[in-house]
Amino acid sequence: MKKLFDGIWIYCLCLGFFVLLGIFFAFIHANPSRSLDQLTKTKSIFAKTVDSPCQNALNGEPSIAVGDYYLKVNIYCPDGSYSTNILRYSAIPETHTMDDVLSIITQVNGFDIQYDADHKVTAIGNVKNTNKRAWKIRINSAPVVTGLKDSHLIPNNLVEINYEQI
Amino acid sequence: MNKYRKIILIFSLVLILGLGFFLRAKNHTVIPQPGESVDEYSFTWVGLSLLENGVPIGTSGLSPYNHLWKYINVNGFYQGPYTPNPFPIDQPWFDHPPLFGLVTGSYAYVRGVRDFADTTIAIIRKPMLAIGVVNLALLFLLAFLVFDFKTALVAGLIFATEPLIVISSRMAQAENLLITFFLGALLYFFLYQKKNKGVYFWLAITLAGLATLTKVSGWSVPVALILLTIVLDQKQKLQKSFLIFAGSLGLFLLFPIYGAIYDFNLFIQLLLANSSRVYFDGFNIVYSLLARQNITRDLQSGWITLGWISIIGLFANNIKQNKLWYIAAPLLSYLFFYMIFGSQSYGWYKFPFFPFLVLAISRVFIETLENPNLLFNVFLIFLPGGVMLNRIIPPEKFQDFVWQFRSFIVLTGSIFILPFISKKIMHKRIYQATLVVILLALVGLNIKTTLMMDINTWTHLLWIH
């Protein structure tokens, strides 16, 4: 029987390693290097940026669960192409502003968006505002006038982003 | 073993490992396609979040979690053919023990990955290539130690090249690490039985315990060791069995303790939720196991079916051969857990059967060389060979080859029947040489089929949603 226990130190070493690993995790838990929001950011550093905001779409039929809702975000580009997107309402940060929605759509579909000093959109993808035409955002057909950070969305809103004449 | 034999052994092992690595590495970032199984990401996220946040965070479909919905565009997920819905992000994540996640998560961390969106398939499948080659080496060594060099060579060649096994081993799924611990534990247990050194016994127990920390179905490893102890050991059966159980439990208990530290109530709820998952195949479970091979898509493999047939054949004749229990015990043990936990539509629950099925084929093949077995020879050619040739030459083009096919049947049939009608040693040699050539041709077909699995071929296979 004694011979059976000859190599038990290997097992103890392994057990000890995991106990130490647990203590290490407890330390990390107390001093995290990244928060949940940082870990779960949408865009990958490996993601390629596309020129047209209409190149990709987050579409499909939403499987609407009880108690959950979606937003529709349609982008219409000057060349006639469009991107129809359906966003799960609960996946938008708690403030549920137009700014949050644009942030997710740009990251998921991989295009850039530019703002001026007043945080108004000056370019989406490679399509910039000009003297004659500019990007306009409407929520349920009503233009956004209060600013992107102040425009709150509610479930099942329809957002339309159009490049149109001023 | 003399020096000459040692050189041949090492040379064969290196050659097989090289071939196995090449086939696993080729197209490993595209087949199976990124996003076909979100489990691959989830395991890595759990490891990564433990290292950076101290809390296991992953994605799960189970209801006890209070899901946090997040769009994480890893590998351009939302530009692929998958659900446009966000990931349900869950913390603390208790779907499975965290050991496997720590392997892929640690590797991703070392490679500079800090966020979930950056855990691309190209990164998280890299450690799988290493694990795949280690599994191949372990199977070769187990076959060599328990049986002989010929069995090891055949098992190594099949395991290195078989398309389903090659593609399976690329996936960041816990079952692939479970295979490592399974084979490692059996190897050390065999060494313990041969040399009676306690160090091997505890190495086997440690690996069995680690298997339980990889997935709960990893309990199949200690159960296999207990089965081997009961069947093969002459003395101290009870004491040894108790030590195997207690040792494995000692490591496994770290999982509930870890659950209790984070949220014991949620841990228990998830345990219950996991146990009430849909039992996908129902009463068909064993039939599906034998008849259907799949990963994320259906990928029929004649080798796997041949493996099950070989097992039956092997044990019908040789059940008294002790060493065959090194195939039977792990298979029976894993089958028990597979049936208890319930099958799923996807294929990774079946991965741990593969090395033992390959071992069974190899053993029967070697025995068939000495004692001709007509039926096995027919199955050997037309199960793996037939399925793979059908993939290369589609049935609609088969008509062009029908006469070659008939001639081949007549020719090989004549050769295979030789040892039954003639006792001449020359005729036996012709039979053996033909069988070896057929095996090599099948290995060649394996390589050809694996290499032709590009995106185009892969996406034509039936996808299991």
Side-chain angles (χ1 to χ4, degrees):
Chain A
M1 189 71 180
K2 187 174 172 265
K3 213 172 180 182
L4 262 184
F5 287 93
D6 275 358
I8 198 169
W9 61 269
I10 289 170
Y11 177 81
C12 295
L13 210 64
C14 180
L15 201 62
F17 170 77
F18 280 107
V19 171
L20 284 178
L21 197 63
I23 294 167
F24 172 70
F25 290 150
F27 173 77
I28 299 287
H29 187 35
N31 309 282
S33 61
R34 283 186 100 64
S35 68
L36 176 67
D37 277 341
Q38 286 173 316
L39 282 168
T40 56
K41 73 177 178 60
T42 303
K43 196 175 179 183
S44 166
I45 52 169
F46 303 112
K48 287 176 186 158
T49 304
V50 297
D51 287 337
S52 169
C54 295
Q55 184 168 323
N56 295 319
L58 188 64
N59 54 17
E61 283 302 310
S63 51
I64 297 177
V66 175
D68 205 349
Y69 301 94
Y70 287 77
L71 291 175
K72 282 190 175 182
V73 182
N74 298 342
I75 307 171
Y76 301 95
C77 291
D79 61 0
S81 59
Y82 58 88
S83 162
T84 54
N85 304 276
I86 296 164
L87 277 181
R88 194 179 182 119
Y89 190 73
S90 53
I92 298 163
E94 275 179 22
T95 45
H96 295 113
T97 65
M98 194 58 234
D99 200 42
D100 298 326
V101 171
L102 282 177
S103 168
I104 290 178
I105 285 289
T106 54
Q107 290 184 63
V108 169
N109 288 345
F111 59 85
D112 285 332
I113 190 161
Q114 287 167 33
Y115 302 96
D116 62 12
D118 299 326
H119 204 67
K120 285 182 178 164
V121 173
T122 58
I124 298 182
N126 64 350
V127 185
K128 292 178 182 172
N129 290 351
T130 63
N131 293 333
K132 293 177 182 173
R133 298 180 80 182
W135 287 103
K136 297 282 177 198
I137 301 172
R138 290 188 176 83
I139 301 172
N140 288 344
S141 304
V144 171
V145 287
T146 53
L148 300 173
K149 288 182 177 173
D150 299 320
S151 308
H152 292 271
L153 291 138
I154 58 167
N156 301 326
N157 272 171
L158 168 66
V159 176
E160 290 172 296
I161 304 171
N162 246 311
Y163 190 67
E164 54 192 51
Q165 288 193 334
I166 297 171
Chain B
M1 187 189 282
N2 64 32
K3 194 180 167 188
Y4 180 66
R5 283 192 167 192
K6 255 185 195 169
I7 290 171
I8 291 181
L9 176 78
I10 293 169
F11 181 73
S12 311
L13 181 60
V14 170
L15 209 67
I16 285 171
L17 294 187
L19 181 63
F21 178 76
F22 167 72
L23 292 174
R24 280 157 177 76
K26 178 99 178 159
N27 285 334
H28 78 277
T29 57
V30 285
I31 309 293
Q33 281 190 285
E36 284 188 346
S37 163
V38 294
D39 286 8
E40 290 192 275
Y41 300 123
S42 189
F43 277 120
T44 311
W45 294 350
V46 168
L48 201 60
S49 56
L50 273 168
L51 292 170
E52 294 190 279
N53 192 273
V55 177
I57 305 169
T59 182
S60 168
L62 295 176
S63 55
Y65 291 115
N66 188 13
H67 301 308
L68 190 68
W69 297 92
K70 291 275 186 179
Y71 286 100
I72 299 170
N73 204 7
V74 56
N75 268 117
F77 185 81
Y78 296 107
Q79 277 74 59
Y82 314 108
T83 165
N85 292 326
F87 286 99
I89 295 297
D90 307 302
Q91 62 159 333
W93 184 92
F94 294 136
D95 281 22
H96 302 293
L99 184 56
F100 177 69
L102 280 171
V103 172
T104 50
S106 302
Y107 179 79
Y109 188 83
V110 168
R111 285 286 305 271
V113 170
R114 295 294 177 268
D115 302 325
F116 290 178
D118 304 332
T119 55
T120 59
I121 285 293
I123 291 172
I124 65 178
R125 282 194 189 156
K126 285 285 184 302
M128 303 319 296
L129 298 180
I131 288 173
V133 172
V134 168
N135 289 349
L136 182 54
L138 287 172
L139 179 68
F140 184 94
L141 290 174
L142 185 71
F144 174 69
L145 290 173
V146 177
F147 300 103
D148 50 37
F149 173 66
K150 288 177 193 168
T151 309
L153 199 60
V154 175
L157 280 172
I158 299 171
F159 203 71
T161 59
E162 203 284 326
L164 182 79
I165 293 171
V166 169
I167 295 170
S168 300
S169 73
R170 293 172 186 163
M171 291 197 81
Q173 295 288 357
E175 277 76 6
N176 281 320
L177 185 63
L178 187 58
I179 293 175
T180 313
F181 293 135
F182 223 142
L183 293 169
L186 289 170
L187 197 68
Y188 282 122
F189 194 77
F190 177 79
L191 287 173
Y192 164 68
Q193 288 199 313
K194 202 175 173 189
K195 300 188 173 177
N196 201 26
K197 283 186 178 173
V199 69
Y200 293 130
F201 183 64
W202 284 100
L203 272 167
I205 293 177
T206 304
L207 291 176
L210 291 178
T212 67
L213 286 179
T214 305
K215 222 166 177 185
V216 179
S217 58
W219 267 102
S220 53
V221 183
V223 169
L225 297 186
I226 291 171
L227 205 58
L228 283 171
T229 305
I230 292 168
V231 176
L232 302 180
D233 274 5
Q234 302 300 324
K235 49 187 181 179
Q236 293 182 315
K237 287 184 185 191
L238 267 181
Q239 292 95 320
K240 285 177 194 170
S241 300
F242 174 75
L243 285 178
I244 293 167
F245 174 75
S248 304
L249 185 68
L251 278 171
F252 177 73
L253 278 177
L254 293 172
F255 181 43
I257 291 169
Y258 153 96
I261 289 169
Y262 286 109
D263 187 341
F264 195 58
N265 186 35
L266 180 66
F267 183 82
I268 296 295
Q269 283 183 51
L270 278 158
L271 210 63
L272 296 172
N274 254 328
S275 63
S276 54
R277 276 188 182 195
V278 176
Y279 202 102
F280 187 78
D281 284 321
F283 288 116
N284 254 353
I285 183 165
V286 174
Y287 173 78
S288 295
L289 181 62
L290 267 65
R292 186 180 181 210
Q293 289 87 42
N294 56 332
I295 308 173
T296 51
R297 293 171 185 267
D298 273 347
L299 182 63
Q300 287 306 316
S301 162
W303 285 110
I304 302 301
T305 313
L306 181 68
W308 289 109
I309 292 171
S310 303
I311 289 283
I312 298 162
L314 202 59
F315 287 91
N317 293 327
N318 306 304
I319 194 67
K320 284 180 184 167
Q321 271 191 38
N322 281 350
K323 55 191 178 184
L324 289 183
W325 279 96
Y326 277 88
I327 304 174
L331 266 177
L332 286 172
S333 166
Y334 191 74
L335 183 63
F336 173 77
F337 282 93
Y338 181 81
M339 290 175 73
I340 292 287
F341 290 148
S343 62
Q344 292 291 330
S345 53
Y346 28 77
W348 34 96
Y349 285 15
K350 298 171 191 166
F351 293 177
F353 288 116
F354 295 166
F356 307 107
L357 294 176
V358 167
L359 210 49
I361 298 169
S362 316
R363 201 55 223 144
V364 178
F365 179 84
I366 297 302
E367 287 189 5
T368 307
L369 279 176
E370 283 307 317
N371 306 301
N373 180 336
L374 264 179
L375 209 54
F376 175 79
N377 295 347
V378 172
F379 286 147
L380 174 71
I381 298 171
F382 294 105
L383 283 174
V387 170
M388 285 188 288
L389 276 173
N390 210 42
R391 212 177 281 289
I392 296 165
I393 302 164
E396 61 270 20
K397 290 187 180 169
F398 176 76
Q399 207 55 32
D400 300 341
F401 298 92
V402 72
W403 277 105
Q404 287 95 317
F405 179 72
R406 285 169 181 154
S407 311
F408 175 78
I409 292 174
V410 172
L411 181 70
T412 49
S414 313
I415 294 170
F416 288 158
I417 215 153
L418 267 181
F420 294 97
I421 55 174
S422 161
K423 296 288 172 203
K424 283 186 182 172
I425 196 81
M426 179 70 168
H427 289 159
K428 191 175 178 183
R429 292 282 177 264
I430 292 171
Y431 159 81
Q432 288 174 329
T434 307
L435 208 54
V436 169
V437 168
I438 284 169
L439 179 77
L440 293 176
L442 289 173
V443 170
L445 272 179
N446 277 351
I447 296 170
K448 165 88 180 158
T449 311
T450 305
L451 291 178
M452 66 183 260
M453 277 294 163
D454 55 12
I455 291 182
N456 190 36
T457 318
W458 182 255
T459 48
H460 276 85
L461 301 172
L462 181 70
W463 183 23
I464 307 146
H465 291 265

